[in-house]
Amino acid sequence: MEPNLFKYIWRHSKAEQSGILLLVLISLPFYFMSLDLPKSIVNKGIQGQGFDGPGSTQPVFAIDLPFGEFLTGDTVTLFEGLHLEQQDLLLTLSFAFLALVLVNGGFKFVINTLKGRMGERMLRRLRYELIDRVLRMPIPHVRKVKQAEMATMIKDEVEPLGGFIGDAFVTPVFLGGQALTAMAFILLQSVWLGLIAAAIVLVQAFLIPKLRKRILQLGRQRQLTARQLAGRVGEVIDGVVEVHANDTSNYERADFTSRLGAIFHIRYEIFQRKFFVKFLNNLLAQFTPFIFYSLGGILAIQGQLDIGALVAVIAAYKDLPSPIKELIDWDQQRNDVQIKYEQVIEQFQPTGMIEPWVQDPSTPEPEPLSGDWQVSAVSLTDDTQTKLVESASFAAHLSDHIAIVGNSSSGKEHLGMLLAGLVRPSSGDIKIGGRNLAEQPAAVTGRRMAYVGPDAYLFPHSVYENLVYGLMHRPVSAPELDDEAASKKARQVAESERAGNPTLDLDANWIDFSAAGLAGADANVGALTGRLIEMLKLVELEDDVYRFGLSGTIDPRRHPEVAEGILRARQALSARLEAEGAVDLVVRFDPQRYNLNATVAENLLFGTPVNPAYETANLAGNELLIHLLEEEGLCDVLLEMALSIARTMVEIFADLPPGHPFFEQFSFIEADELPDFRVLVQRIEKGGHKSLSEADRRRMLGLPFRYIEARHRLGLIDEALAARIVEVRGAIATRIHDADPGAVEPYLPEGYNTAASLQDNVLFGRLAFGQAKAEETVGRVVGEVLEDLDLRDTVLQVGLDYQVGLGGKRLTTTQRQKLAIARAMLKQTDVLILNEATGSMDGATQSLLFRRVLEQREGRGVVWTIQSAKFAESFDRVLVMRAGRIVEQGSFAELDRADSALGELVHAG
C-alpha cells in the first residue's frame, strides 16, 4: 500500500479535490468583501463621510474596469452604481453585508458537505482495501495475528482518517486562504497593525506545533496500548474456559488493571499538555486585540486611522484566530493520522500476500482437474526457519485415495494444507496434471478441490447457510427488481465504483447449483435441499438436525403446508398412542381442564409466551398479571403455596449436599438460596405476608409459577384450586390480549401454535410424569408418525434453519466437523482433502465415515490425513511421515510390516 497518506488521498480523489479547491478559491473574494463592507457601513453609513449635507447622495456598488487607469490613463467606469442618501445607503450596505454572510455560509456548507462525502468515500475505500488484504493474507500469518486487534484497526483506528481525508487538501487551502485574506485586509488598513498581527500569528504557528510534538508521541503510545488491550480482551474471551478451570481470573484482573493504569497515565499526560497548549493559544489570541484597542485607538485619535478602518481591522482579526487555530489543529491531526495510517498499513502488508488475480471474481470457470499428483521436493518453513515439511516427494493418480499417517509432530497437517493450495511451499513444486498448484487461481483450489481441517469454522448462521457456503463463489444471476429498486441499486453500484469497491451484488443469487451436481430442471432450491439431506445422512448428522427441527418453530403463514402436516401428525399421534395402549403418556391441553403435568404458569396463561415478560421466570414481576390475580383473589393463594413450597424445601434440603438429585427434581430453589428462603419463611410466620418487601414478595411468588403437581407431588393443587385457575383463564387471556396483543399465543386444540416448537405442536400437551419410558416411547411414536406422513424431511428442513451460534459453538465439536465434511462433500470436486477432520470423533464414527466417504468418492481423489494408522487399510496409497519427511509410501499391504514405520504406528494405535 502507498506509505504516504497524502499521496494515497490524492491518487484516489484528485478529481473531487480539484473541484472543491476551485470552489474554495471562488469563495475568497466574497470573504474579502465581507471584511471590507463593515468599514463602509461605519464610515459612510453611520458617520456620513462623503455626504456634503442633507439630501446629498453617494454612489454604491459602482464597478470600474480593473487596471483601467493603467490601460487608458483614466478610470473606466462600467457601472455608475446606485446614488443613495445616507440612511438608504446604511440600510443597503447592511443588507449587502447580510447577503455576504449568507453567501459565505453557503460556501462553507457546500464545501464541508462535499469534503465530508469525499472523506467518507475514501474511508470506505480504505476499509475495503484493508479487508481485501485480510482475505489475501497468507494463512500462516493470519494464524499469528490477534483477531481483536485486526478488527479494532479496521473499525476504530482508521475512523479518524475518514474525517481527515476530506480536510487533507481542502482545509489548508480554505483556512489558509481566509487567514491570508484577513491578513492582507489588515495590512491594507494599517501596516503596523498588520505586522503586529502577522508576528503573533508566526509565534503561534512556530511554538504551538513544537509543544504538541510530545502529545503526538503520547498519542502513539495510547493507540498501541489500547490495541494491545483489545487483543488481550480477545485472548481472555477465547480462553475463558481455561481461566475458570485454572482459577486465574484474579491474575487476569491484575493484568487488565496494569494495562488500564498505563492507558490512564498516558491519557492524563495528554490532557495536561493539550490543555496547556490550549491555554497558551488562547492567551496569544487575546493579546492581539489588546494591541489593536490600545495602539489602534491612539492611531485613530491622532487621525492616522479612521474609526471604520479600526472597527474593520478588529472584526477581521476576530475572524483570524479561528482559521489559524484550526490550521494548527489540522497540522497536529495531519501528523497524528499519518502515524495511524503508517501503523495500520504496516500490519496489513505481510510478506507472501496473495496476488489479487488469484481471487478475481471474473476468472472463468476452471476445467476439471485430471492427471497425476506430482509432488517434488516440497519444503515448508515457518518464520523462525523451522522446517515443518522437508523435501516431500510422491507421485500418484489424481483419482487415488491417499492416506497420510504419522504422529502429531510428523508434519502431516502441514502437508495436507500444502496439497490443498492453502499454503505455498517454501521450495519445491506441487503439480496436478502438469499444472503448478501455486500458480492456480482460487477458482481451482476452491471449486475443483474441497478441504476440511482439524478444527473447522462455522459462521454464525443457520445449518443451511453453512452447508451451501461452499457453493457461493460469485453471483450466478441478478435479482429481479422493479424500476424503483433497480434505480436505487444503480445508485449504490455507482457509489461503490467511486469508492473503489467491487460491484458484486450481495442480493444476487450466489448459490451455484451446478457445483452441487444439479443442472437443468434439478437446479432449484427443492432439489438442493434434498441433496443437503443426503449429505447429512452420509455424515451421520441427520438425527441431530432432525432434533433441531423438532425444537424449531415455523411461521404458518409462510409455510401453511407444514402447519397443516403437523396438525395431521397431532391427530395421528393420539390414534397411534391409543392403539398401543399408551394414550396416558401424553396429557393433552384442554381449555376446560387443569393439566397436572404442566406448570401453574402454563395453566394460568394457557398458551406460549411470545413477549419475554410473560415467561415463567418473569411472571412474578409482571404487574399486569399480578394485578389481575389480585382482582381474582388468587394472589394470596399463590403466596400461601409459595410459603408451603419454601417451608418444605428448607426442611427437605436442610441436611443435603448441594449436588443431591433432589435439587434437580425440586428445581425451585438453588442450594445457595436456601438460607435466604429460610429467613423469608421465618419472617412470614412471625409477621405474615405484609412483612415482606416488594422484592421479597416477588421472590416468593416466583416459586408457585414453576410448580408442577404431577412432578413435585406436594399436594398443593386440589380440585377446587384447579377449577379456580381454569375459571380465570378466560379473564387472563382477555386482559393480556387487550393490553398487549400477541404477547401470548394461546393453546388451540385445532390450531397451530406459532410460538411453540414443532414437537410441542405435535404433542399438544405434556409428557406424563412417573410413567416408565414415557419420553422414549413417545419420541419413537412421534418419529414413526412423521415418517408415515412423509414429514420427516419437512422437519429436517426446519432443522436446517437452526442457528449454529458464533463459530458453531451451539454444536458439539463432532457435529461441527461432520457439518464441515458434509459441506465439502456437497461440492462435486475432483479432489477432497480431509486434514485430520475426524480426529475429534470416536473410533466407530471414524470407521463409518471412512467407509461412506470413500464409497461416495469412488473414482475421485481423496487425500486424508488420519490419526489412527489402522484406518489406512481402506486407501489405495499410504504416505508415512516422520519429522516433516515422507519416510515410507506405498500400499497398506506393502508397508504393513513389523519393522516398517507404518507397522510401528499401527501397533502403537
Side-chain angles (χ1 to χ4, degrees):
M1 294 182 68
E2 170 59 54
N4 186 282
L5 178 60
F6 278 81
K7 289 182 179 179
Y8 176 82
I9 294 171
W10 184 254
R11 177 188 301 169
H12 297 295
S13 64
K14 54 188 174 185
E16 289 179 272
Q17 296 277 7
S18 300
I20 300 174
L21 290 174
L22 179 61
L23 194 62
V24 168
L25 295 176
I26 294 173
S27 72
L28 293 179
F30 293 92
Y31 177 65
F32 184 89
M33 287 188 285
S34 71
L35 296 176
D36 186 63
L37 202 55
K39 180 177 71 173
S40 298
I41 292 174
V42 173
N43 289 340
K44 296 181 179 180
I46 297 176
Q47 292 187 323
Q49 287 184 3
F51 288 96
D52 298 332
S56 62
T57 62
Q58 282 199 46
V60 63
F61 304 141
I63 301 175
D64 295 334
L65 178 68
F67 308 108
E69 190 172 354
F70 173 77
L71 296 173
T72 64
D74 198 3
T75 301
V76 179
T77 301
L78 300 177
F79 178 60
E80 294 183 356
L82 303 174
H83 290 266
L84 303 173
E85 296 182 1
Q86 183 177 352
Q87 183 173 330
D88 294 336
L89 179 65
L90 173 62
L91 292 175
T92 301
L93 292 175
S94 298
F95 278 106
F97 180 78
L98 178 61
L100 286 173
V101 168
L102 294 175
V103 169
N104 287 326
F107 273 118
K108 283 186 177 182
F109 173 77
V110 173
I111 290 169
N112 286 331
T113 301
L114 292 176
K115 73 178 185 179
R117 184 182 66 177
M118 178 177 61
E120 290 304 310
R121 189 175 283 161
M122 285 293 295
L123 177 61
R124 175 180 176 179
R125 175 189 291 271
L126 177 58
R127 278 180 169 153
Y128 170 76
E129 287 192 19
L130 296 180
I131 293 170
D132 175 72
R133 297 184 79 83
V134 169
L135 294 173
R136 294 193 290 113
M137 283 180 180
I139 290 178
H141 177 80
V142 174
R143 286 181 168 179
K144 292 186 299 182
V145 300
K146 295 179 180 178
Q147 301 172 9
E149 289 188 16
M150 301 293 283
T152 298
M153 283 187 277
I154 295 174
K155 175 181 175 292
D156 297 326
E157 292 191 21
V158 301
E159 183 75 24
L161 301 182
F164 178 78
I165 287 171
D167 295 333
F169 294 97
V170 175
T171 293
V173 173
F174 184 58
L175 297 177
Q178 287 191 334
L180 290 175
T181 301
M183 188 63 68
F185 177 78
I186 293 172
L187 285 169
L188 288 174
Q189 311 310 311
S190 171
V191 174
W192 290 111
L193 295 180
L195 291 175
I196 291 171
I200 294 177
V201 166
L202 289 175
V203 170
Q204 283 180 286
F206 175 79
L207 184 60
I208 300 301
K210 290 287 186 183
L211 294 174
R212 282 179 167 172
K213 187 174 182 179
R214 175 58 182 165
I215 297 177
L216 291 173
Q217 295 172 346
L218 291 169
R220 285 196 294 270
Q221 294 179 25
R222 179 203 60 77
Q223 183 178 353
L224 181 60
T225 52
R227 186 191 302 166
Q228 291 171 344
L229 174 67
R232 189 75 182 106
V233 170
E235 288 178 3
V236 171
I237 291 173
D238 290 339
V240 68
V241 174
E242 282 69 24
V243 172
H244 290 305
N246 294 286
D247 188 27
T248 56
S249 59
N250 289 312
Y251 172 78
E252 299 299 343
R253 289 186 177 94
D255 181 42
F256 284 123
T257 298
S258 176
R259 293 173 185 272
L260 292 172
I263 293 174
F264 166 78
H265 290 298
I266 293 172
R267 291 179 67 88
Y268 180 63
E269 186 176 350
I270 289 175
F271 283 132
Q272 284 182 307
R273 292 179 176 274
K274 183 172 69 174
F275 287 116
F276 173 74
V277 169
K278 188 174 183 179
F279 161 76
L280 183 61
N281 197 33
N282 289 336
L283 178 64
L284 291 173
Q286 295 301 320
F287 180 74
T288 308
F290 159 75
I291 298 294
F292 282 2
Y293 285 127
S294 56
L295 181 59
I298 291 173
L299 292 175
I301 292 171
Q302 294 177 351
Q304 299 181 37
L305 184 68
D306 59 62
I307 299 297
L310 178 60
V311 171
V313 166
I314 294 173
Y317 186 78
K318 188 184 68 155
D319 287 342
L320 186 59
S322 178
I324 295 296
K325 177 180 178 299
E326 290 183 40
L327 275 173
I328 295 172
D329 290 341
W330 173 87
D331 185 64
Q332 180 189 6
Q333 189 183 15
R334 175 186 64 81
N335 288 296
D336 190 34
V337 297
Q338 178 64 38
I339 292 168
K340 283 186 172 68
Y341 178 75
E342 290 172 356
Q343 289 181 334
V344 167
I345 66 171
E346 181 182 351
Q347 302 299 319
F348 285 84
Q349 45 188 9
T351 57
M353 285 284 289
I354 299 172
E355 295 295 331
W357 65 265
V358 174
Q359 299 174 352
D360 189 349
S362 63
T363 302
E365 190 65 28
E367 294 293 326
L369 299 176
S370 61
D372 297 327
W373 284 104
Q374 294 174 324
V375 180
S376 306
V378 168
S379 296
L380 177 67
T381 57
D382 62 14
D383 53 359
T384 65
Q385 300 306 307
T386 300
K387 290 205 170 183
L388 306 174
V389 177
E390 186 174 359
S391 298
S393 300
F394 73 89
H397 195 274
L398 195 64
S399 62
D400 286 347
H401 293 174
I402 304 171
I404 305 176
V405 299
N407 58 32
S408 58
S409 60
S410 64
K412 59 182 179 179
E413 180 184 348
H414 300 292
L415 181 58
M417 296 187 70
L418 284 165
L419 296 177
L422 298 176
V423 178
R424 292 194 173 191
S426 304
S427 61
D429 293 322
I430 300 175
K431 294 183 178 180
I432 300 179
R435 292 188 287 180
N436 193 326
L437 190 62
E439 298 174 356
Q440 302 306 308
V444 172
T445 57
R447 302 180 202 177
R448 306 313 310 177
M449 305 175 73
Y451 174 87
V452 182
D455 187 17
Y457 183 85
L458 300 181
F459 292 92
H461 303 307
S462 66
V463 172
Y464 176 89
E465 290 170 299
N466 275 282
L467 283 171
V468 301
Y469 186 75
L471 308 178
M472 302 169 68
H473 312 299
R474 59 184 178 182
V476 176
S477 59
E480 295 183 4
L481 302 173
D482 57 28
D483 292 343
E484 182 179 352
S487 177
K488 180 180 179 181
K489 180 66 69 175
R491 292 194 298 271
Q492 292 173 346
V493 169
E495 185 59 40
S496 293
E497 289 178 332
R498 293 189 190 100
N501 289 190
T503 57
L504 300 171
D505 187 0
L506 183 63
D507 298 324
N509 175 25
W510 284 75
I511 297 177
D512 184 1
F513 292 99
S514 63
L518 301 174
D522 292 331
N524 57 70
V525 175
L528 178 61
T529 302
R531 184 61 58 85
L532 296 181
I533 294 174
E534 288 178 17
M535 294 301 106
L536 294 176
K537 292 178 180 177
L538 178 74
V539 299
E540 286 289 294
L541 198 59
E542 180 191 15
D543 289 343
D544 296 311
V545 176
Y546 174 75
R547 286 194 294 273
F548 298 157
L550 286 177
S551 62
T553 60
I554 63 160
D555 184 350
R557 292 170 297 183
R558 294 180 57 193
H559 305 285
E561 72 289 348
V562 177
E564 292 173 5
I566 295 300
L567 291 177
R568 291 198 307 271
R570 180 188 299 176
Q571 303 303 321
L573 176 65
S574 296
R576 183 69 64 88
L577 289 174
E578 185 173 358
E580 293 193 11
V583 70
D584 294 337
L585 296 184
V586 177
V587 180
R588 289 295 182 94
F589 292 125
D590 187 336
Q592 306 303 321
R593 296 180 60 189
Y594 186 96
N595 193 321
L596 295 175
N597 292 274
T599 64
V600 171
E602 288 176 301
N603 276 284
L604 283 169
L605 297 178
F606 202 69
T608 306
V610 177
N611 186 333
Y614 292 90
E615 292 178 357
T616 302
N618 302 324
L619 285 183
N622 189 308
E623 296 181 2
L624 174 66
L625 182 66
I626 297 302
H627 180 69
L628 200 154
L629 293 175
E630 287 176 346
E631 288 182 355
E632 297 291 343
L634 281 175
C635 209
D636 289 340
V637 175
L638 292 177
L639 283 172
E640 285 299 321
M641 284 182 63
L643 178 60
S644 297
I645 292 171
R647 185 186 291 121
T648 303
M649 295 302 103
V650 169
E651 292 174 356
I652 292 177
F653 297 137
D655 300 319
L656 294 179
H660 197 278
F662 276 8
F663 279 103
E664 183 178 352
Q665 180 180 355
F666 298 96
S667 55
F668 301 102
I669 303 173
E670 299 292 337
D672 56 357
E673 293 181 316
L674 281 174
D676 295 337
F677 278 98
R678 184 179 291 110
V679 172
L680 291 178
V681 169
Q682 293 171 353
R683 188 182 302 167
I684 295 172
E685 289 176 343
K686 290 181 180 179
H689 296 300
K690 293 183 180 179
S691 63
L692 296 176
S693 66
E694 183 61 28
D696 289 338
R697 186 169 182 266
R698 288 184 178 183
R699 289 189 73 181
M700 291 296 290
L701 275 175
L703 298 178
F705 286 128
R706 299 196 293 269
Y707 180 75
I708 302 172
E709 180 62 45
R711 175 183 180 183
H712 302 121
R713 300 182 181 277
L714 300 181
L716 299 179
I717 304 293
D718 55 22
E719 292 185 6
L721 180 55
R724 181 67 181 132
I725 290 176
V726 171
E727 183 181 344
V728 301
R729 278 179 183 170
I732 292 175
T734 301
R735 187 72 63 87
I736 292 176
H737 181 270
D738 292 342
D740 192 358
V744 177
E745 181 82 11
Y747 297 140
L748 300 175
E750 304 300 326
Y752 187 90
N753 190 306
T754 305
S757 67
L758 295 185
Q759 180 167 277
D760 283 347
N761 270 286
V762 173
L763 294 179
F764 194 68
R766 292 289 177 261
L767 293 177
F769 286 99
Q771 297 286 342
K773 297 184 178 180
E775 185 173 355
E776 179 182 339
T777 301
V778 172
R780 174 182 57 80
V781 175
V782 168
E784 292 173 356
V785 167
L786 293 174
E787 190 78 52
D788 291 345
L789 295 174
D790 292 329
L791 290 174
R792 182 176 176 84
D793 283 356
T794 299
V795 176
L796 284 170
Q797 290 178 35
V798 176
L800 289 172
D801 292 330
Y802 180 79
Q803 298 295 314
V804 303
L806 184 63
K809 294 298 177 63
R810 294 184 69 189
L811 305 181
T812 66
T813 302
T814 297
Q815 288 172 334
R816 289 198 296 270
Q817 291 301 117
K818 286 181 177 180
L819 185 56
I821 294 173
R823 177 169 61 195
M825 295 290 290
L826 179 64
K827 297 195 297 180
Q828 301 298 301
T829 58
D830 304 312
V831 179
L832 172 66
I833 298 175
L834 300 174
N835 201 357
E836 296 190 342
T838 57
S840 62
M841 305 176 192
D842 60 75
T845 302
Q846 288 192 60
S847 179
L848 179 65
L849 285 180
F850 277 119
R851 179 174 57 81
R852 287 187 176 180
V853 170
L854 294 179
E855 286 178 358
Q856 204 272 347
R857 296 284 304 179
E858 184 66 33
R860 288 179 296 168
V862 175
V863 177
W864 204 324
T865 63
I866 56 181
Q867 284 191 320
S868 180
K870 65 181 181 181
F871 293 121
E873 187 176 6
S874 304
F875 290 80
D876 302 322
R877 190 173 187 81
V878 182
L879 307 179
V880 184
M881 295 194 68
R882 181 184 294 162
R885 291 178 173 272
I886 298 177
V887 295
E888 288 182 349
Q889 54 181 301
S891 68
F892 185 87
E894 294 170 349
L895 302 179
D896 187 20
R897 305 185 309 272
D899 60 342
S900 68
L902 178 63
E904 292 179 11
L905 291 172
V906 172
H907 180 73

